[in-house]
């Protein structure tokens, strides 16, 4: 019967793909590709004869919801016809990505076997390139527009990673970039929890083995003037020290004494 595997290709062309993801790409009847670079699509074409682009569904001025719905439909149609379909996504297919999660849920709801193979995401790359261990101080991840549209609690003693900052404030997800006015609102929101001179990092993982990552450090109040691309991620290191919870520390010490 029909089957769907959504796999991650990793961020760097040819360098991050796992053996399971690779074998799905090679063995599927059809591969649907959502990748950032035409070179990556060419590379997939070398592994499978039937690679179809999902990029065609993106358009300026078209609500992203509609784009995702069409991507899900495109992947499910051959599954319903009994074929083995592979959705190949750059990075991790389940990280800040709607279509793979929705396609898998929909395929399962229709009784088909569907699953996800994880990949190396932008998150994994930034830990390596910026020398950040999320376990050291904790690490919050937020989508830039969501940070503005909803009341979220930021913890400035942890790392903060802001995704999709390049189109912050685009409510219907109609565009691929927004301007300085929207960016100013993001700075205003971050200023509630961080000082104006706090160091912030614009990060872009390298996607080709010959390239190097973009790591640009600037003050928070200079963010408006920074070049932000659709593939830029913002990283804010902690602004304050960890705040000790003295009463909990005392209770843990008391427990240790009572057990000694
Ligand atoms: N699934 C992807 C992953 O695993 O990294 C993320 C897809 S999400 C739709 C797009 C966002 O991911 C961008 O706005 C940016 O925050 C981040 N991103 C994508 N490519 C990146 C890169 N080369 N370096 C840093 N962040 C990147």
């Amino acid at each position: 019967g029909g089957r769907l595997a959504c796999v991650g290709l990793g961020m760097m062309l040819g360098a991050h793909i796992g053996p399971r993801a690779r074998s799905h790409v090679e063995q599927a009847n059809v591969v649907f590709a959502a990748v950032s670079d035409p070179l990556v699509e060419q590379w997939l074409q070398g592994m499978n004869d039937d690679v179809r682009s999902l990029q065609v569904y993106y358009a300026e001025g078209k609500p992203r919801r509609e784009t995702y719905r069409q991507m899900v439909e495109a992947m499910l149609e051959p599954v319903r016809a009994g074929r083995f379909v592979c959705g190949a996504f750059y990075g991790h297919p389940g990280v800040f990505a709607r279509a793979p999660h929705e396609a898998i849920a929909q395929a399962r709801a229709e009784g088909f076997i569907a699953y996800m193979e994880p990949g190396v995401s932008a998150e994994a790359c930034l830990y390596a390139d910026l020398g950040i261990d999320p376990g050291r101080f904790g690490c919050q991840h937020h989508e830039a527009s969501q940070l503005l549209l909803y009341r979220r609690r930021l913890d400035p003693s942890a790392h903060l990673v802001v995704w999709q900052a390049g189109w912050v404030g685009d409510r219907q997800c109609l565009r691929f970039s927004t301007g300085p006015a929207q960016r100013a609102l993001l700075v205003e929101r971050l200023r509630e929890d961080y000082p104006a001179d706090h160091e912030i990092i614009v990060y872009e993982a390298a996607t080709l083995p010959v390239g190097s990552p973009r790591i640009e450090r600037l003050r928070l109040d200079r963010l408006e003037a920074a070049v932000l691309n659709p593939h830029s991620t913002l990283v804010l290191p902690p602004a304050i020290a960890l705040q000790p919870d003295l009463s909990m520390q005392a209770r843990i010490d008391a427990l240790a004494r009572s057990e000694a």
Side-chain angles (χ1 to χ4, degrees):
R3 177 155 73 101
L4 172 68
C6 288
V7 309
L9 303 171
M11 300 304 293
M12 187 182 279
L13 172 66
H16 293 164
I17 189 170
R20 287 169 69 95
R22 178 184 286 274
S23 97
H24 289 328
V25 170
E26 287 170 350
Q27 276 155 33
N29 299 122
V30 192
V31 175
F32 287 94
V35 298
S36 39
D37 195 304
L39 275 180
V40 177
E41 217 163 286
Q42 276 183 33
W43 168 63
L44 287 174
Q45 280 158 3
M47 291 189 269
N48 192 298
D49 291 333
D50 190 352
V51 176
R52 306 177 194 176
S53 179
L54 287 173
Q55 291 311 106
V56 297
Y57 297 108
Y58 283 111
E60 190 82 23
K62 173 175 168 183
R64 211 86 88 225
R65 275 239 49 84
E66 179 63 9
T67 298
Y68 297 147
R69 203 191 55 74
Q70 291 175 340
M71 287 178 167
V72 169
E73 266 314 296
M75 287 189 278
L76 281 180
E77 198 188 281
V79 173
R80 293 180 189 125
R83 315 193 72 201
F84 173 25
V85 174
C86 176
F89 298 81
Y90 82 89
H92 187 306
V95 173
F96 288 81
R98 289 278 270 279
H101 283 297
E102 286 180 14
I104 288 170
Q106 182 63 29
R108 286 180 180 161
E110 294 180 23
F112 300 107
I113 291 172
Y115 49 92
M116 185 178 278
E117 289 295 341
V120 175
S121 65
E123 175 190 3
C125 294
L126 80 83
Y127 295 146
D129 288 333
L130 303 180
I132 292 172
D133 181 342
R136 180 90 171 87
F137 300 111
C139 190
Q140 289 183 293
H141 289 262
H142 288 287
E143 201 278 328
S145 295
Q146 196 183 71
L147 210 50
L148 299 187
L149 294 169
Y150 300 91
R151 294 303 317 176
R152 309 309 309 265
R153 285 203 208 167
L154 299 182
D155 174 358
S157 66
H159 291 278
L160 172 65
V161 181
V162 180
W163 297 67
Q164 301 186 167
W167 65 92
V168 64
D170 181 8
R171 244 195 130 152
Q172 275 84 45
C173 291
L174 293 169
R175 297 185 276 170
F176 297 99
S177 67
T178 47
Q182 286 85 354
R183 194 107 45 95
L185 294 179
L186 177 63
V187 172
E188 186 184 318
R189 171 62 188 90
L190 292 171
R191 285 280 290 108
E192 288 178 24
D193 293 287
Y194 295 88
D197 65 350
H198 190 60
E199 176 192 90
I200 129 165
I201 305 163
V202 179
Y203 173 70
E204 292 168 10
T207 54
L208 298 176
V210 289
S212 47
R214 175 179 174 207
I215 301 174
E216 197 177 318
R217 296 169 198 273
L218 53 137
R219 287 165 54 115
L220 174 53
D221 61 1
R222 299 274 187 276
L223 179 61
E224 266 173 72
V227 176
L228 288 192
N229 296 305
H231 58 285
S232 302
T233 296
L234 302 180
V235 182
L236 282 76
I240 61 171
L242 290 174
Q243 307 292 299
D245 183 337
L246 295 176
S247 80
M248 191 56 90
Q249 288 187 11
R251 288 169 64 188
I252 284 173
D253 291 345
L255 274 183
R257 276 194 302 276
S258 71
E259 283 164 5

